[in-house]
Amino acid sequence: MPRNSLGSLPRAASRLPRMAPDMSRLPAGRIVTLADDVTTRLYDTGEEHLRPVVLLHGMAATGMLNWYQTFQRLQGEYRLIAFDQRWHGMGHHGDFGFQALGEDVLRVVDHLGLESPIIGGYSMGGLVAQLAARTDPSRLGGLVLAATGTGAERNALEKITLGGFLRSSPLLNAVPVEIAREISEETPSPHAWALRELSSVSFATHRTVIGEVARFNSTSWLHELDLPVAIIKTTRDIAFPQWIQDEMADLLPRSAVFPVHAGHAVCAT
């Protein structure tokens, strides 16, 4: 399993982040209908001459809320695409399950006619990216898996941690929807926009997603994914401890690990 230093990452990765979004630099979201009448809100920089990268957000986030810094920093280097996954933001409100979320990724790829896109997944999005690749790895150019792993609830420590998340999950959404509804600006400020996005993910979604994470286990089939995978290893991660990220890297036949000395929320913050 190769190990790479941060010095070998693309030059854009070393830029200082902007914590407040510059709304003028972000593409407008649009509602699209994918195959099987699946609807979602899609963001696309639209630069068809650049390599396409589809970014999958984590739990309690939305496509742009999770990835706006990436959009600001990598526009012009890749064609960046994000969308709201089911039960998040303006994502589809049909049946929920990680297998369905993985199929939605390929629906987006087909809808946009993307050739060999890179799929980047953070946390929950990393699990979904694995499932999308499992369906047909030949359709994808590679994966970037950040702050994620092979699943959870396989030993006593993980069960205790998952139990704590389930009991505290209502606290994850700190923005009641009533507050967001009071924001009436037609073009909201970055702060008001973030409040709206946070409030769009219900408490029920948190609990459902945590339950899906608890059931997820990719250890029996990850070795089948014969495509290049970059793993952003968050060394201070509590949600996905280092060992479970290392397990994922060891199982993937073509993986490279890029350690980042930060906690689980680093991709969003």
Side-chain angles (χ1 to χ4, degrees):
M1 181 175 63
R3 295 291 189 269
N4 294 273
S5 68
L6 284 174
S8 61
L9 289 171
R11 62 177 176 80
S14 62
R15 300 176 191 158
L16 292 175
R18 292 178 57 89
M19 295 305 295
D22 181 349
M23 306 301 286
S24 67
R25 297 179 58 197
L26 301 178
R30 66 181 192 272
I31 303 299
V32 298
T33 301
L34 311 175
D36 305 311
D37 291 324
V38 174
T39 60
T40 187
R41 178 174 54 176
L42 180 76
Y43 300 90
D44 181 5
T45 56
E47 299 135 317
E48 296 185 2
H49 63 291
L50 299 176
R51 186 69 180 271
V53 178
V54 180
L55 298 166
L56 306 178
H57 64 76
M59 181 184 76
T62 62
M64 190 54 74
L65 182 63
N66 201 145
W67 294 112
Y68 72 83
Q69 293 189 72
T70 302
F71 271 72
Q72 290 179 166
R73 294 159 68 186
L74 294 183
Q75 281 192 69
E77 295 189 37
Y78 299 94
R79 178 182 177 181
L80 300 172
I81 297 148
F83 65 97
D84 293 348
Q85 298 189 74
R86 296 185 181 216
W87 294 19
H88 292 74
M90 298 183 186
H92 193 63
H93 286 280
D95 294 339
F96 186 94
F98 280 5
Q99 186 61 46
L101 268 63
E103 293 166 358
D104 288 346
V105 177
L106 299 180
R107 289 185 177 102
V108 168
V109 170
D110 289 341
H111 181 80
L112 295 175
L114 305 178
E115 294 186 10
S116 299
I118 303 297
I119 307 297
Y122 159 64
S123 189
M124 177 192 83
L127 307 183
V128 174
Q130 294 173 48
L131 288 168
R134 187 188 188 193
T135 301
D136 188 356
S138 67
R139 297 176 61 187
L140 307 180
L143 303 178
V144 179
L145 304 176
T148 192
T150 52
E153 209 177 41
R154 293 199 310 279
N155 61 34
L157 179 59
E158 287 175 278
K159 289 179 181 179
I160 292 171
T161 303
L162 246 336
F165 278 138
L166 281 169
R167 288 189 296 273
S168 63
S169 60
L171 300 177
L172 293 174
N173 190 335
V175 185
V177 68
E178 291 79 8
I179 294 177
R181 286 173 181 157
E182 294 176 1
I183 301 168
S184 58
E185 301 103 301
E186 184 173 335
T187 304
S189 68
H191 177 69
W193 168 78
L195 288 178
R196 280 182 176 175
E197 295 297 294
L198 281 171
S199 72
S200 69
V201 185
S202 70
F203 298 159
T205 297
H206 295 161
R207 297 183 68 86
T208 300
V209 171
I210 291 171
E212 286 288 310
V213 173
R215 288 186 290 272
F216 185 89
N217 186 340
S218 58
T219 55
S220 65
W221 49 264
L222 269 186
H223 66 279
E224 302 170 4
L225 300 188
D226 187 23
L227 74 172
V229 181
I231 294 173
I232 310 303
K233 176 181 174 180
T234 41
T235 62
R236 300 171 186 165
D237 203 317
I238 296 176
F240 288 93
Q242 287 192 59
W243 77 265
I244 209 166
Q245 299 181 63
D246 289 336
E247 177 183 62
M248 177 176 65
D250 289 336
L251 288 169
L252 287 162
R254 298 170 62 190
S255 68
V257 176
F258 298 85
V260 176
H261 302 300
H264 184 71
V266 64
C267 286
T269 61

